[in-house]
Amino acid sequence: MKSFLNSNPKGTYDIVEQESEIFLKIRNIFFQYARKFNFSYIETPIFEYAEIFEKTSQDSDVVTKELYKFLDKSNRQLALRPEGTAPIMRAIWQHKLHQVEKKFFYFGPMFRYEKPQKGRFRQFYQAGFEITNYKSQSFSLQILEVILLVIKILENLKIQNYQLKINYLSNSQTRQEYSRALTQYFEKYIDKLEPISKSRLKNNPLRILDDKIESSKDFVKSAPKISDFWSVDDKENFNSIISIFEKFKINYVIDYSLVRGLDYYDEFVFEFIDNDKILGSKLTFAGGGCYNNLPRKFGMANFKSIGVAFGIERLIEIFKSNSPTKLTNLDFYLIGFSQDEILKNFELAILLREQNFQVDLNKSPLSIKDGFQKAKKSGAKFAFFFEKDEQPGQISIKNLQTSINKVISLLNIDFEFLRTIIDGETHV
Ligand code: HAM
């Protein structure tokens, strides 16, 4: 019988060594940008009552096929969260945070029982941002805020080759009209539809448009467009988005087949797509839109909201392909060739760590060769060590990239100097 004691469950992964450095770097950037844009951090449980998801996205694959649903020991119907927006709606209702405009940020694992492949996991991380209960007059500026946030995060990660796809899904009444027209249209081509599309024909014909296989077929490309059903208000709304994008020089592509996988969207929807096909195909690494009808599903009066979520694994892959250099955080490795030197190093490590430097040291004596090898392997930028004929009260510091040495005083450590060499402002 196969033992599972040395393998993680299918579709999951461990974050170790270099990967964890990248993961933490990216997570820090999200927290930093959440602060810059004044989003407040929200943490909700990773499991909720299943109803939270079933009520808000009842026709989506995420709920019908991919939900990790289970009964607890008291027969409560629970589900591991597949996404963060619905739990946030539940939380703001529960804590009465729904009366005024709020900005929320979350970062954590989500769960979907999907077929694992590159960039697709059963447990994956999302960073999400939600602006709830905004005033309708601020519609295009709220969109601008969310899109700018995504663009600025990508800029920080030096990710450039992406595309922003947008669409406008109007309201549920218009979508119903449009759905009827689509169903009528697709019924003419029923023999050419995939089995999954035939089942979507009644409940969710819009999903046929953005299905990977269907979207390449000519009759799907020539299907009626949602823009043919837009009201005067819809056109005005859409134009207000376009003109704000033009004003702020935001590049976008209009894609009338973009409908998103979850059911709760209306008005504006968008996706950020990796043009470099790092993950084999042009995968979406962030997506979102407006969801003005979710509050009612929880028993609140409807209000306007918009949000976005990033897929962190996908972002990490794109980031790695752009920045192949090793990320090192360690500033100093303190090499001790004898027990006595190791004790001195401990004293120095205490002082350096108090000054917020990142420091590590060996705890059993090493030969000169092994000492420097260990320092290099640690990824540290500099090594401290005692030369054989080092003057008392002094220590040598070696730049591990250039191998240049310098002697510094231990009696009066110049921390400012150490900071400048770590920042690369002064060279050793
Ligand atoms: P979503 O498009 O379902 O939207 O997921 C957002 C992102 O999560 C995707 O663009 C993708 O990068 C990543 N993702 C989704 N499924 C997987 C998976 N199985 N493995 C790896 N990454 C995955 C939402 O979840 C909405 N809640 C976003 C939102 C926030 N809309 C409004 N506010």
Side-chain angles (χ1 to χ4, degrees):
M1 202 170 78
K2 187 178 179 233
S3 165
F4 294 106
L5 294 179
N6 66 353
S7 63
N8 49 336
K10 190 173 172 183
T12 68
Y13 63 95
D14 301 313
I15 311 175
V16 295
E17 301 257 306
Q18 192 58 24
E19 288 290 321
S20 66
E21 290 299 331
I22 298 172
F23 180 84
L24 290 179
K25 178 190 163 76
I26 289 185
R27 194 175 68 173
N28 285 344
I29 288 170
F30 275 101
F31 277 84
Q32 196 184 320
Y33 275 82
R35 285 212 187 286
K36 279 193 196 199
F37 280 70
N38 197 33
F39 282 81
S40 76
Y41 185 67
I42 183 168
E43 181 86 40
T44 59
I46 59 167
F47 61 89
E48 296 271 354
Y49 288 109
E51 193 188 352
I52 301 277
F53 305 107
E54 286 169 342
K55 255 204 146 161
T56 52
S57 243
Q58 62 278 16
D59 291 326
S60 68
D61 288 354
V62 170
V63 167
T64 55
K65 296 189 193 143
E66 299 163 5
L67 201 60
Y68 275 94
K69 208 163 124 174
F70 59 97
L71 288 175
D72 75 1
K73 290 184 182 178
S74 302
N75 266 343
R76 296 182 190 93
Q77 190 65 258
L78 301 172
L80 296 183
R81 64 181 182 192
E83 61 106 27
T85 310
I88 282 176
M89 272 291 143
R90 191 268 307 143
I92 68 172
W93 179 218
Q94 188 172 336
H95 303 289
K96 307 278 169 280
L97 300 170
H98 60 290
Q99 281 117 343
V100 287
E101 182 181 319
K102 293 272 174 194
K103 295 165 96 176
F104 296 105
F105 158 60
Y106 51 94
F107 191 104
M110 305 291 161
F111 306 84
R112 296 183 189 177
Y113 193 77
E114 294 204 70
K115 196 166 172 223
Q117 49 188 280
K118 252 194 152 186
R120 202 174 291 282
F121 299 92
R122 290 184 172 171
Q123 174 176 337
F124 60 98
Y125 275 81
Q126 273 191 358
F129 298 86
E130 315 286 351
I131 305 177
T132 55
N133 200 0
Y134 66 78
K135 298 247 178 333
S136 40
Q137 307 92 284
S138 64
F139 172 68
S140 57
L141 295 176
Q142 301 291 355
I143 292 173
L144 177 68
E145 176 94 325
V146 170
I147 299 294
L148 277 180
L149 169 69
V150 178
I151 291 176
K152 290 295 159 191
I153 289 171
L154 297 177
E155 225 172 80
N156 188 301
L157 291 168
K158 300 191 175 56
I159 295 176
Q160 286 161 348
N161 196 9
Y162 62 83
Q163 193 174 54
L164 164 60
K165 280 191 182 174
I166 64 168
N167 193 14
Y168 188 85
L169 297 179
S170 185
N171 55 28
S172 61
Q173 201 186 332
T174 304
R175 272 198 310 283
Q176 262 172 26
E177 251 176 75
Y178 177 49
S179 295
R180 274 197 294 274
L182 270 185
T183 305
Q184 257 177 18
Y185 175 83
F186 284 133
E187 267 165 357
K188 289 190 284 189
Y189 300 93
I190 194 132
D191 295 340
K192 294 185 179 164
L193 285 175
E194 304 296 318
I196 173 98
S197 301
K198 285 180 189 157
S199 68
R200 283 173 171 159
L201 206 51
K202 258 213 182 107
N203 290 338
N204 208 350
L206 271 74
R207 286 306 312 276
I208 300 174
L209 298 173
D210 79 344
D211 181 278
K212 231 193 216 146
I213 301 173
E214 303 291 24
S215 57
S216 61
K217 296 179 182 169
D218 283 340
F219 73 92
V220 177
K221 286 183 192 155
S222 330
K225 292 189 172 40
I226 184 130
S227 52
D228 303 334
F229 294 77
W230 287 349
S231 66
V232 175
D233 280 355
D234 288 333
K235 283 179 193 157
E236 242 174 52
N237 274 345
F238 188 70
N239 288 337
S240 73
I241 302 167
I242 298 300
S243 60
I244 206 92
F245 281 3
E246 307 274 327
K247 187 170 164 53
F248 283 82
K249 301 197 169 39
I250 293 170
N251 294 324
Y252 61 90
V253 173
I254 302 170
D255 178 356
Y256 294 116
S257 66
L258 179 67
V259 294
R260 310 272 303 126
L262 294 149
D263 296 336
Y264 48 63
Y265 292 104
D266 51 12
E267 296 188 329
F268 179 69
V269 288
F270 63 94
E271 285 186 350
F272 281 83
I273 290 149
D274 157 43
N275 276 343
D276 283 334
K277 300 190 182 172
I278 300 300
L279 297 148
S281 59
K282 287 191 172 191
L283 269 190
T284 301
F285 61 82
C290 299
Y291 46 96
N292 309 323
N293 293 307
L294 262 194
R296 206 179 43 216
K297 304 218 163 158
F298 289 85
M300 295 177 268
N302 272 343
F303 50 73
K304 298 231 165 201
S305 300
I306 180 169
V308 61
F310 287 75
I312 298 303
E313 292 75 10
R314 297 181 187 185
L315 206 60
I316 286 177
E317 286 306 317
I318 300 166
F319 172 76
K320 280 201 303 201
S321 74
N322 287 340
S323 317
T325 50
K326 205 174 165 217
L327 287 176
T328 54
N329 279 328
L330 197 61
D331 296 322
F332 301 114
Y333 195 91
L334 280 42
I335 312 171
F337 303 124
S338 66
Q339 196 63 23
D340 191 37
E341 287 179 4
I342 290 171
L343 289 175
K344 283 189 196 155
N345 281 346
F346 258 103
E347 286 173 22
L348 176 59
I350 290 169
L351 297 175
L352 289 171
R353 285 169 176 158
E354 270 171 9
Q355 296 288 323
N356 292 326
F357 289 110
Q358 296 191 30
V359 178
D360 206 354
L361 69 168
N362 61 306
K363 278 88 178 178
S364 45
L366 291 170
S367 68
I368 294 181
K369 188 172 155 231
D370 288 352
F372 282 104
Q373 230 172 35
K374 193 146 189 206
K376 272 209 163 139
K377 253 194 157 164
S378 75
K381 297 181 187 99
F382 294 88
F384 276 104
F385 64 102
F386 294 94
E387 288 280 14
K388 244 208 316 260
D389 50 359
E390 201 84 80
Q391 298 293 313
Q394 292 195 326
I395 193 164
S396 292
I397 180 165
K398 186 195 242 346
N399 182 328
L400 289 168
Q401 244 121 57
T402 61
S403 291
I404 297 173
N405 288 0
K406 189 178 162 68
V407 176
I408 67 162
S409 163
L410 270 178
L411 304 175
N412 187 9
I413 302 171
D414 186 350
F415 293 114
E416 259 332 291
F417 165 74
L418 294 180
R419 243 182 285 283
T420 59
I421 60 169
I422 290 296
D423 293 343
E425 289 163 19
T426 307
H427 297 286
V428 167

